[in-house]
Every structure is written in C-alpha cells, then in structure tokens.
C-alpha cells in the first residue's frame, strides 16, 4: 500500500501554469452512478476549459468491480503463477493468489499462461514488464486486496474499470467538459487509460504525474485540471 504525500497544487508545463484541484467525495459504492457523483461533487466547482480526471479504482467500484476476497475461488494455477510475479514498491499486484485469480478470469487461461512464459523469458534477458504487455491492460490494472486503505475495500480485489474511453465520451456528451480516467501511483507511474476526444494523453499524464490526489484515504477520486490565467 502506498503512502499519501503532499504535492503542490500548481504545476508549470511549457511555461504555462496549471492548477490541480482534488475533489473530495464520500466513499463510493456499486450503487453509485459515476455521472451523478460528478454532478454532485465536481460540476459545481468546474469552470469552462477545465478537465476532470477520474481515478480508475473508484470508477471500477461504481461498476461493481471490487470483489471481496471471500468470494474469490483461487485455483491452483493462480497460486502457482502468483509466486513468479515480481514484487513492486507500490503494492502486491498479481503477487497475491486472489488478484492473480482475477487476472485469469479477466484475460483467460491461455493468455495468462502465454504472458507467464514471455515474462519468464524477459526476466532471463533482464527485461521487465513483458508479462503485463502480453496479459493486457485489465491484468495490469488489478489492485490486490490491502492496496486500498479505505474500508470496506481493504479486503477486496479491485479490477480495472470497464470501457474507460466510452465512459469519458459519454460524460463529455452529457456535461460538455473533457474527462480522463487515470491510473496513478506514488512512485511516478501515471497513465491515461481512457479519455474524451479533446484530451491529450501526453499532457494529462505530465500534469498528473506527481499524483496531486494522493494515494491514501483522502477520498478524492476526481481532480480538476485548470489553466491558470494571470
């Protein structure tokens, strides 16, 4: 589990200043509709030209993608493969049998086995990341149990959100702003996994790279990105 850290609200990119404004909400559940949550908490704070980023795990939770570990039936294959996953500083990832089981269910046994073989070859060649390149985005997005510090999700595996690109396009159509779904951690990993048509992947990953929302229990699933005008 990552620890939260303070970041400056203003970042300068190419000589232009941008403000990042984390938006606090309540604890989200599968009963929440992400558009209604945005309408309640973020929309009143937004101004023309703003971009709203959405953290991938809270979006996934509203889609019913947080699976209690007590409901996951771990196979022998998941136990075996989880032993070979390299440990990373920001969490267990697929190194836990329960999260590996979710990866198998998301991608299928043949693809996971192929990814494991390619990953093993990559390790011999001192290369990292081959497993996830083959297994695909949904395997890479899985958060193991204990990753989230927010109850009741401390004992759930959170799968990646479904159709983030489509979600952003629908939100853009409804509200008129640009949206991006982000996967960010506290050690410099920052990826846009889906965005509405007007969002530059390179720009939003640069502006959010220092994780202004934090990684702890801040309950800030959204962040408004706003150009600062003098």
């Amino acid at each position: 589990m990552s620890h939260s850290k303070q970041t400056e609200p203003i970042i300068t990119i190419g000589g232009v200043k941008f403000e990042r404004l984390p938006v606090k909400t309540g604890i989200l559940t599968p009963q929440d509709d992400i558009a209604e949550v945005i309408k309640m908490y973020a929309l009143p704070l937004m101004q023309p030209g703003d971009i709203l980023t959405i953290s991938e795990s809270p979006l996934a939770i509203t889609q019913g993608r947080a699976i209690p570990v007590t409901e996951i039936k771990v196979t022998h294959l998941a136990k075996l493969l989880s032993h070979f996953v390299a440990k990373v500083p920001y969490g267990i990832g697929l190194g836990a049998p329960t999260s590996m089981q979710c990866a198998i269910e998301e991608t299928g046994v043949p693809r996971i086995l192929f990814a494991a073989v390619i990953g093993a070859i990559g390790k011999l060649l001192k290369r990292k990341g081959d497993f996830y390149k083959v297994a695909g985005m949904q395997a890479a997005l899985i958060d193991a149990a204990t990753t989230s510090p927010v109850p009741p999700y401390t004992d759930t595996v959170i799968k990646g959100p479904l159709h983030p690109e489509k979600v952003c396009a629908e939100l853009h159509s409804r509200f008129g702003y640009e949206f991006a779904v982000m996967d960010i951690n506290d050690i410099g990993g920052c990826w846009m996994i889906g965005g509405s048509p007007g969002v530059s992947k390179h720009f939003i990953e640069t502006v959010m790279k220092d994780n202004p929302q934090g990684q702890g229990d801040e309950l800030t699933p959204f962040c408004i990105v706003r150009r600062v005008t003098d």
Side-chain angles (χ1 to χ4, degrees):
M1 183 178 72
S2 300
H3 296 287
S4 173
K5 61 180 176 56
Q6 290 295 111
T7 56
E8 293 297 320
I10 305 286
I11 189 171
T12 304
I13 299 173
V16 180
K17 291 181 179 178
F18 294 89
E19 187 174 11
R20 290 84 52 82
L21 304 163
V23 178
K24 194 174 180 68
T25 69
I27 294 175
L28 301 185
T29 75
Q31 282 69 51
D32 286 308
D33 177 277
I34 199 69
E36 292 302 316
V37 178
I38 288 168
K39 185 178 177 182
M40 179 181 293
Y41 292 100
L43 218 58
L45 306 174
M46 295 184 73
Q47 299 175 6
D50 287 351
I51 300 171
L52 189 72
T53 69
I54 305 167
S55 295
E56 46 100 14
S57 291
L59 174 59
I61 285 168
T62 66
Q63 296 175 332
R65 305 271 288 166
I67 315 299
V69 291
T70 52
E71 295 179 12
I72 299 170
K73 295 178 180 176
V74 177
T75 60
H76 292 300
L77 179 62
K79 290 177 185 175
L80 176 66
L81 292 180
S82 66
H83 289 306
F84 297 101
V85 175
K87 301 296 184 284
V88 289
Y90 55 87
I92 302 168
L94 301 187
T98 48
S99 48
M100 179 60 79
Q101 182 62 42
C102 287
I104 291 170
E105 291 168 4
E106 286 293 288
T107 64
V109 170
R111 187 169 179 179
I112 282 287
L113 287 174
F114 184 51
V117 170
I118 298 300
I121 295 169
K123 278 184 184 177
L124 292 174
L125 299 173
K126 293 186 166 42
R127 260 199 333 249
K128 291 182 178 179
D130 287 359
F131 173 88
Y132 289 105
K133 285 176 186 172
V134 176
M137 186 176 75
Q138 284 300 341
L141 289 175
I142 290 170
D143 285 337
T146 74
T147 302
S148 172
V150 180
Y153 303 111
T154 50
D155 294 315
T156 64
V157 175
I158 304 177
K159 298 179 179 180
L162 294 173
H163 314 301
E165 197 89 11
K166 182 182 175 190
V167 169
C168 289
E170 289 173 351
L171 290 170
H172 174 67
S173 295
R174 178 169 174 178
F175 297 124
Y177 293 99
E178 301 294 349
F179 294 85
V181 178
M182 307 297 295
D183 177 23
I184 310 173
N185 62 53
D186 269 351
I187 61 167
C190 178
W191 302 274
M192 184 184 90
I193 61 171
S196 51
V199 179
S200 157
K201 187 175 191 294
H202 175 74
F203 166 76
I204 204 69
E205 289 177 353
T206 303
V207 85
M208 293 296 290
K209 192 170 181 62
D210 59 347
N211 198 5
Q213 289 166 268
Q215 194 81 6
D217 56 0
E218 295 88 352
L219 299 181
T220 50
F222 310 128
C223 188
I224 296 168
V225 177
R226 176 177 298 159
R227 181 171 179 159
V228 177
T229 53
D230 297 326

